Amino acid sequence: MASSLTKDSVHPGTPGTEKTFFGHPRGLATLFMTEMWERFSYYGMRALLPLYLVAPSGLHLSAGTATAIYSVYLSLVYLLALPGGWVADRLLGPRKTVAVAGLIIMLGHLCLALPAAASFFVGLVLVAIGSGLLKANISTMVGHLYDGPKDGRRDGGFTLFYIGINLGAFVAPLVIGTIGENVNWHFGFALAALGMALGLAQYLLGGRHLSEQSKVVPTPMTAQEKATTLRKGLIWLVIAAVFYGIVGFTGHFTLNWALIPLTVIGLIVPILVIGRILRDKDLDGEERSKVRAYVWFFVAAAVFWMIYDQGGSTLSLFADASAKNTIFGWNFPVSWYQSVNPVMIMALAPVFAWLWLWLNRSGKEPSTIVKFSSGLVLVGASFFVFLAPLSIAQDGHKAAAMWLVGIYFLQTVGELTLSPVGLSVTTKMAPKKYASQMMGVWFLAVTAGDSITALLSNPAVGGVNLDKMGFVMLEAVLAVIAGAAVWMYRGKVNKLMGDVR
């Protein structure tokens, strides 16, 4: 790390220090390492989660219940990004919020490391809360390091930061997954806690290099607002405690008393949030038109993430039961499949960045709508490919690992086509009043997609076996139809988008 810090003669105004991190403000090194370690802990635990839930040495649940738990957990992480942003904007400011988030995540992983089912589920909730708080704010702090959007280093800084995310995500399954599967599940979760502890320690030590703007609470609450919010929060907490206390004491409590309400919340909140924005009388006609166009992208993205996030549940559980997890005769842990996506992202992202630029210069760059629909078709194609290993497994044979690698490859290309475009179109189409909140709305597409998966897979509700050929084909067709619909109605969507392209 020290070798990458050099004297900065070009940008003497770098916040906090005269040294730089690869030519960027030194505070980027602090945020890079924080995010890398947080992603290490998050993706390491996530790689183990579905396997631990079904393992006889773990919680020994059914595949459907495990998928429902995994999907609800993911939906919560992205749902809680909205209140996470609110906490920073109204109460603590980004810097303190990220510190609190790191502590909550670390405590959550420590709870997962305890060999008890009750502490395990408490740990999942804590990690989800902490991840929501951190996800909403650390990227904002990266932006604070630069002198506004016109700073020429800004895009490069976010690229470096993105590398930190994928570096942590790549290494985590290889380390935490190996320890968890081959040594002890709870040792793996403890290793995730250690990773977050290292990230939190260097974040606190490197805080002096961050922008002073990250300490600011943008729209602080008045004392009266705080009292009102606290009172409402306590009322809802008491209601929940009384309700679940009665359910528990009468002997009726099951896991679904928590899973199903959270699933429903994950489906209802996105609808309520978008509906509230559309009904806002402060929006002018052009802004309301853009939000209507955005609904097309949002629904399509929910379909995309519904399939894509099954890479960590449905595909992982299939690999555990029905795949030859070998390379040249050497067996590897099932959790290692979760390293395929981040390493492909790191390899392919620069290629896509160059490709879009090259096509743009020749006037042939695909439009936002074409890129978006391509992402949906690709994720649909990945599940068409999934039909092959499923067919092999039906005959009682084990499917080759390369089938799964091929599926993850198609999903990664789809992600690179759709996800950056979704982020970009979200910022472009956001009404001025909701400029900051719209990024949280984009995350709600993930929440909606994962909530649908949770609803379908839960044995008490949908009871659908997501790794059966009929349903996999149905999902694949749905994604392709969604992509085709976005493309076919591009004229209508373009008209609603106004001047955004």
Side-chain angles (χ1 to χ4, degrees), residues 164-387:
I165 293 173
N166 286 286
L167 189 59
F170 167 67
V171 174
L174 305 181
V175 178
I176 295 175
T178 302
I179 297 297
E181 287 190 64
N182 295 341
V183 181
N184 181 282
W185 296 109
H186 298 287
F187 285 175
F189 294 130
L191 198 57
L194 176 61
M196 190 65 253
L198 291 172
L200 180 60
Q202 70 82 39
Y203 175 76
L204 296 174
L205 291 172
R208 66 186 184 278
H209 302 302
L210 300 175
S211 169
E212 289 299 306
Q213 189 181 352
S214 65
K215 292 181 178 179
V216 175
V217 181
T219 54
M221 299 179 76
T222 64
Q224 184 179 355
E225 286 176 321
K226 287 181 181 179
T228 302
T229 303
L230 180 61
R231 184 171 62 253
K232 288 180 180 178
L234 288 173
I235 289 171
W236 281 108
L237 184 63
V238 169
I239 291 172
V242 170
F243 175 79
Y244 281 103
I246 292 171
V247 172
F249 282 123
T250 56
H252 291 93
F253 183 81
T254 64
L255 192 56
N256 277 320
W257 279 100
L259 285 180
I260 293 174
L262 289 174
T263 302
V264 173
I265 288 170
L267 291 170
I268 290 176
V269 168
I271 296 171
L272 292 177
V273 169
I274 292 177
R276 179 175 63 94
I277 294 173
L278 279 170
R279 291 192 307 271
D280 193 330
K281 294 180 180 178
D282 290 340
L283 303 189
D284 59 32
E286 183 181 353
E287 288 179 321
R288 191 169 283 106
S289 176
K290 288 179 180 177
V291 175
R292 288 197 188 98
Y294 186 74
V295 171
W296 282 79
F297 293 103
F298 183 92
V299 172
V303 173
F304 177 90
W305 296 117
M306 178 186 72
I307 296 175
Y308 179 91
D309 277 346
Q310 288 183 58
S313 55
T314 305
L315 286 178
S316 186
L317 293 174
F318 173 83
D320 188 37
S322 304
K324 294 178 186 175
N325 304 311
T326 59
I327 299 176
F328 303 117
W330 175 71
N331 290 314
F332 60 88
V334 175
S335 53
W336 282 25
Y337 284 110
Q338 301 311 306
S339 288
V340 174
N341 171 260
V343 76
M344 286 183 174
I345 287 284
M346 288 189 286
L348 295 176
V351 176
F352 271 76
W354 170 84
L355 177 64
W356 299 142
L357 185 61
W358 180 74
L359 289 171
N360 180 269
R361 286 172 177 167
S362 58
K364 297 178 181 178
E365 183 182 1
S367 68
T368 293
I369 291 176
V370 171
K371 290 178 184 176
F372 212 87
S373 59
S374 299
L376 282 160
V377 170
L378 283 164
V379 83
S382 77
F383 262 35
F384 278 121
V385 173
F386 189 20
L387 295 173

Side-chain angles (χ1 to χ4, degrees), residues 98-114:
V98 168
V100 170
L103 179 62
I104 293 173
I105 291 170
M106 184 183 70
L107 292 174
H109 286 303
L110 288 173
C111 288
L112 295 175
L114 298 174

